[in-house]
Amino acid sequence: MTTKSQKIKTIQREMITACIQLADIGFLAGIGGNLAVRVDEELMVVTPSASDYYTMKPEDLCVLEINSLKMVEGTKQPTTESGIHASFFQKRLDVNVSLHTHQPLASAITLLGNDISLESKEAKELIGSKLIMVSYAPSGTSFLVSAFRKKITLNQNGYLLKNHGIVCGAKDLKSAIRSVILIEKEATNFLKSSIQKNPVVANYPAPLVKQINSVFTT
């Protein structure tokens, strides 16, 4: 087995562990969301399309050429969002992991259509000063890849796909998982603050306000 083959096998095993961790916390629900890890300048490993994360095996993950998306290893269909991950790797040579999630509250703020500033020091250090909104396009299409590619910047690692979910880049899997956890916390605080600042809420019955606030206790 060559050194590159060994590296790919290691990446595949680590990706399975990461996917299960993300599924456990509800960020990769069902068959939603996907993950890609750079092997080198030429290759990346991506999760397969429409596959359950709890039954996925390392050999199910697909090895693709970053520039052409040609599959060089694997038996399943690669994720339909492979083009997004490839774009991230092409434009950001410092990004080794590209993670797309459908995490609950962060996905909710994609409906707003605006960039969202990040507040915590840790979030700013890992992700950047804000989450950048990517204009809507159907999932899995070249239109979405093009829209995402246009928004990629050197200093921002978190992106909101309008009406869809999150794409986050990182140097490694541990940082990627930590980043999306921080994004969910930032989304929680943003939504809670927005609701509390709404003057209409002051007229709500106390039980309703308590019920609303209970959504943001996680």
Side-chain angles (χ1 to χ4, degrees), residues 3-77:
T3 301
K4 182 176 285 190
S5 295
Q6 291 173 334
K7 183 177 182 180
I8 289 171
K9 298 302 181 186
T10 298
I11 288 172
Q12 288 171 323
R13 290 193 296 270
E14 291 175 345
M15 286 175 68
I16 292 294
T17 300
C19 284
I20 291 174
Q21 182 179 348
L22 289 161
D24 282 346
I25 58 179
F27 289 4
L28 295 180
I31 59 174
N34 37 77
L35 173 64
V37 174
R38 183 197 297 274
V39 177
D40 51 27
E41 292 182 357
E42 299 178 351
L43 301 177
M44 64 180 180
V45 181
V46 303
T47 49
S49 178
S51 295
D52 180 81
Y53 294 104
Y54 290 108
T55 60
M56 191 182 297
K57 299 177 181 178
E59 57 268 25
D60 293 332
L61 278 71
C62 311
V63 182
L64 306 184
E65 292 181 353
I66 292 174
N67 290 330
S68 69
L69 299 185
K70 177 183 177 182
M71 188 161 71
V72 299
E73 185 179 320
T75 58
K76 293 193 172 185
Q77 186 74 17

Side-chain angles (χ1 to χ4, degrees), residues 90-150:
Q90 288 167 341
K91 296 197 72 173
R92 290 285 303 277
L93 298 182
D94 59 320
V95 168
N96 296 314
V97 176
S98 178
L99 174 59
H100 169 47
T101 68
H102 294 167
Q103 55 198 85
L105 296 182
S107 295
I109 65 175
T110 70
L111 301 174
L112 301 176
N114 301 313
D115 295 351
I116 302 297
S117 296
L118 299 178
E119 301 297 332
S120 76
K121 180 181 178 181
E122 186 181 5
K124 289 179 180 178
E125 289 175 349
L126 274 179
I127 303 159
S129 62
K130 60 185 177 180
L131 300 174
I132 297 177
M133 181 63 65
V134 177
S135 58
Y136 175 76
S139 176
T141 66
S142 60
F143 301 106
L144 182 56
V145 173
S146 178
F148 176 69
R149 190 177 183 88
K150 291 175 182 177

Side-chain angles (χ1 to χ4, degrees), residues 143-159:
F143 301 106
L144 182 56
V145 173
S146 178
F148 176 69
R149 190 177 183 88
K150 291 175 182 177
K151 290 288 188 173
I152 298 172
T153 71
L154 292 177
N155 300 315
Q156 307 298 327
N157 296 329
Y159 298 82

